[in-house]
Amino acid sequence: MPNIMGILNVTPDSFSDGGDFFSIGDAIDRALFMVQEGATIIDIGGESSRPGADPVPTDIEIKRIIPVIYTLKKENIPVKLSIDTCKPEVMRRAVDAGVDIINDIMAMRAEGALEIAASSGVTVSLMHMQGRPRTMQQNPHYDDVISDVKHFLEERVHACIEAGISYEKIILDPGFGFGKTLEHNVELFKNLDMFQSLGFPILVGVSRKSMIGTILNNAPVSMRLYGSLALAVLAAQKGAAIIRVHDVKATQEVLRVLQTVS
Ligand code: 7PJ
């Protein structure tokens, strides 16, 4: 059964939490709840990367996420903690606070990011993105989306290895919704098993994403659970090692049933 990565958005503007403000206490409660529901990884993010989102200043991102990491470390829960950031300074502070995984939608392209990961020995998740969150959905284009994404990930693996990060510390992610049309996302999903040949665990993040909304006649975020579960099951069947989701209990149940009967 794949690992379930529960999403902990520590942002006031997170698109799938309806703009709720997360106090530290609420964020901790939410994390502990997701662990009870079956999450084996908690992915902590202080910057929204939804299409059109503005970057968050480094000091604000640090203020949001570091107290959450320290508090969760003190709880001694049997899960891995992941930091969803592309900023080296945030990575450094999160690693010092004890995170196990750096989940970087920029695939460690920011100056200094590789060095932090290499010297700390944490795991890195490398995600493909075309463009930047602000503008990435304006006109995505690929010659061949499968091979373009694959080549990008291979190049980033190479950069990681060169920097001294070991093979066992690398996770790859095709980056659903990041500079991709519905057709691109569908093509990638259909061919998800082709990414297995790269030889690394594959992370899939499709939970509540707009590709589901588009398929379901523009269903709003709150109506995308069943679509998300369908894709979680398919991703597991296609060999995904980690599935990144908002709805941990529902995902855990469908995956447990799938595992039992397959
Ligand atoms: C992803 C992510 C994803 C990884 C976000 C959202 C947008 N990290 N961070 N993969 N998506 N590794 O949750 O809809 O797909 S933020």
Side-chain angles (χ1 to χ4, degrees):
M1 174 151 155
N3 284 280
I4 297 177
M5 173 185 260
I7 301 168
L8 187 67
N9 283 319
V10 194
T11 63
D13 67 332
S14 162
F15 79 97
S16 54
D17 290 298
D20 289 344
F21 175 73
F22 265 93
S23 71
I24 290 183
D26 289 350
I28 300 300
D29 287 350
R30 175 93 192 110
L32 297 178
F33 191 64
M34 289 194 290
V35 174
Q36 274 181 4
E37 291 184 327
T40 50
I41 306 168
I42 300 295
D43 189 37
I44 304 157
E47 176 176 60
S48 172
S49 42
R50 75 190 145 88
D54 284 320
V56 171
T58 306
D59 57 327
I60 292 181
E61 200 178 326
I62 287 173
K63 273 197 201 114
R64 286 178 183 169
I65 57 118
I66 295 298
V68 173
I69 297 169
Y70 275 110
T71 311
L72 283 176
K73 287 299 284 185
K74 268 197 252 144
E75 295 279 340
N76 243 324
I77 36 180
V79 294
K80 298 217 180 300
L81 298 183
S82 160
I83 173 70
D84 186 346
T85 191
C86 47
K87 297 193 187 77
E89 182 60 17
V90 179
M91 292 176 192
R92 195 180 61 71
R93 298 283 297 264
V95 162
D96 288 347
V99 297
D100 307 282
I101 301 169
I102 297 173
N103 171 28
D104 182 5
I105 63 167
M106 290 284 295
M108 313 299 283
R109 282 178 286 171
E111 172 98 44
L114 286 168
E115 290 72 14
I116 291 161
S119 63
S120 63
V122 298
T123 294
V124 296
S125 175
L126 308 173
M127 196 196 79
H128 175 271
M129 166 167 56
Q130 186 178 82
R132 294 287 179 276
R134 254 194 87 72
T135 52
M136 66 189 175
Q137 290 308 107
Q138 282 170 11
N139 192 19
H141 173 82
Y142 298 85
D143 292 331
D144 174 340
V145 68
I146 309 295
S147 64
D148 288 9
V149 171
K150 249 183 147 177
H151 286 143
F152 171 85
L153 292 176
E154 278 170 339
E155 186 272 317
R156 295 316 299 155
V157 165
H158 195 73
C160 285
I161 302 296
E162 290 265 282
I165 297 168
S166 57
Y167 277 92
E168 318 82 74
K169 302 283 180 182
I170 296 174
I171 298 167
L172 300 181
D173 180 347
F176 288 99
F178 284 87
K180 294 167 186 91
T181 63
L182 174 63
E183 289 71 29
H184 295 140
N185 289 317
V186 168
E187 183 78 6
L188 279 171
F189 209 96
K190 283 186 180 167
N191 293 283
L192 200 54
D193 42 349
M194 287 178 58
F195 287 86
Q196 297 296 333
S197 65
L198 294 171
F200 296 92
I202 301 297
L203 189 158
V204 170
V206 284
S207 180
R208 299 184 188 173
K209 281 193 178 167
S210 70
M211 65 182 285
I212 297 167
T214 307
I215 295 169
L216 301 177
N217 299 324
N218 298 320
V221 166
S222 63
M223 301 301 279
R224 298 178 187 169
L225 173 60
Y226 306 142
S228 301
L229 296 177
L231 294 186
V233 167
L234 278 170
Q237 286 192 320
K238 289 171 181 283
I242 302 170
I243 304 189
R244 181 179 179 277
V245 301
H246 303 85
D247 304 283
V248 173
K249 184 167 195 285
T251 306
Q252 196 271 342
E253 288 189 359
V254 295
L255 293 182
R256 195 147 48 93
V257 171
L258 172 72
Q259 183 197 35
T260 307
V261 302
S262 51

